[in-house]
Amino acid sequence: MKFKFPENRKKEIFLSLIIILSGNLFGAGMFLWENRNSHVHSLPRKEYGLGSYEKTLTASTSESTAEIQVTVEEQQYSQSQIEEHLKAASEFLTQWFKSNVSSQNILNKDLDFPSQVPDNPAGLSWSTSSPEFLSWKGRLGEDIPSEGVSVNLRCTISIGENETVWEKTIMVTPPSLSEAELFEKAIQQEAENITDEDSQEFLLPSVVQGKEVTYRQTGGQDSWKICLLSLFLGLGIFPLAKERERQAEQKRFLQMQKDYPDIVQKLILFLRAGLSIRMAVEKLAKDYLVRKEEEQNVIRYAYEEIVKTWGEMEGGVYEKEAYERFGRRCGLAEYKALSVLLVQNLKKGNQSILELLEREAVCAGEERLRRARIQGEEASTKLLLPMILQLFVVLIILMVPAFISFF
């Protein structure tokens, strides 16, 4: 029976065979290369100063095979190479000395002693004959005589047990000071002269080098911070006030949206009772004023606009224009639609407006339910974080005693 590959699997099988074959060929090649290079006759030695290392090898004879460990020491220099490196290091230090010390061998500044020679295995060790005037780190002392002091500078150059000494004699003088540094030193000396040892205060001289001197403390001044803070606070009033206005406007819109279904329902009720639109608006305004007085000036923004509309009509504004102004002042799509319906009523009569208002009441009721669901979801979302924090507190209360008792 002849085997036949499934037509829909040929590509996958072909690719799988290629991967397996390629991997085996690569592994076999690596095996041959490793075997060919596993036979060694020598091991590389590290350069001088890098230390030795250990290598594990498999040693085989005609009779047995054993695993051994050999230590490969670092490279060693011949005596001629050592002398050459020591000589090169001495020449390097001589060149360094010429570039850092004046031609008269006078030193009035700190030195940066080199710790090594480039491309040279030699080690450097520095010392001075008078560390109180010139330390082994190259720093000048504080009590250097004005006429200077002779100091012997020494560097021991070593390679293993072989070493040589490089020496130079220099005249160390006090460091050259700027005018500001000299003035500071004069003030310090004068202050120490006029201040008693048992005094609780350090007196500052009023005259130094024949010149009157005044002093004031530097740093620790926070006046500029106060000015900067007041600037930020002053400029921050504008966005804060704008944000408060936005929040107040948002609060106004939400309240007006909430009151809209009630206003439409009341208008329908008054129209069914036989009142005209003008009389219904007047009734809404008067009822709100009475309720406002009873509830100690609780403001409802939508009813406030109705009161303004009634006042305009009482003041002589045409009813059509008053309704249009009402929609513009409210600024919400619902109230603009209501103002359009009220204007249309002036042309079509109460029967038509009742039908339209009833449809609007149904839409307003559905919109109120939708907003109520949204507010409920927002409230549940806000409660999510406190609930998570409470969960963490409960877990800590339960787990901490358990860990304490375990350990």
Side-chain angles (χ1 to χ4, degrees), residues 145-174:
S146 58
E147 65 275 8
V149 60
S150 179
V151 177
N152 186 32
L153 181 62
R154 173 181 294 185
C155 180
T156 302
I157 310 171
S158 60
I159 299 178
E161 297 180 355
N162 300 273
E163 61 180 33
T164 184
V165 177
W166 177 89
E167 289 184 298
K168 289 291 182 180
T169 301
I170 56 178
M171 180 64 65
V172 178
T173 60

Side-chain angles (χ1 to χ4, degrees), residues 94-120:
T94 301
Q95 189 65 30
W96 167 84
F97 183 81
K98 290 180 180 180
S99 61
N100 287 273
V101 182
S102 65
S103 57
Q104 293 83 14
N105 287 357
I106 297 176
L107 180 67
N108 59 359
K109 62 179 182 179
D110 293 339
L111 284 177
D112 186 13
F113 293 151
S115 59
Q116 61 183 8
V117 181
D119 300 325
N120 197 310

Side-chain angles (χ1 to χ4, degrees), residues 2-18:
K2 188 177 180 181
F3 179 77
K4 186 177 181 181
F5 290 118
E7 290 294 333
N8 58 342
R9 292 292 182 180
K10 283 186 177 180
K11 184 181 293 185
E12 289 85 351
I13 295 173
F14 181 69
L15 181 61
S16 176
L17 291 175
I18 290 178

Side-chain angles (χ1 to χ4, degrees), residues 247-288:
Q247 292 179 358
E249 190 71 13
Q250 184 69 17
K251 180 181 178 182
R252 175 177 175 270
F253 286 159
L254 291 175
Q255 188 191 82
M256 293 177 70
Q257 287 176 343
K258 184 177 180 181
D259 290 339
Y260 181 71
D262 295 334
I263 293 174
V264 175
Q265 290 290 349
K266 289 179 181 179
L267 284 175
I268 294 173
L269 180 62
F270 293 150
L271 291 175
R272 284 178 176 174
L275 299 180
S276 65
I277 288 294
R278 182 185 180 105
M279 295 175 64
V281 171
E282 180 180 353
K283 180 66 174 173
L284 284 174
K286 289 181 177 180
D287 290 347
Y288 166 71

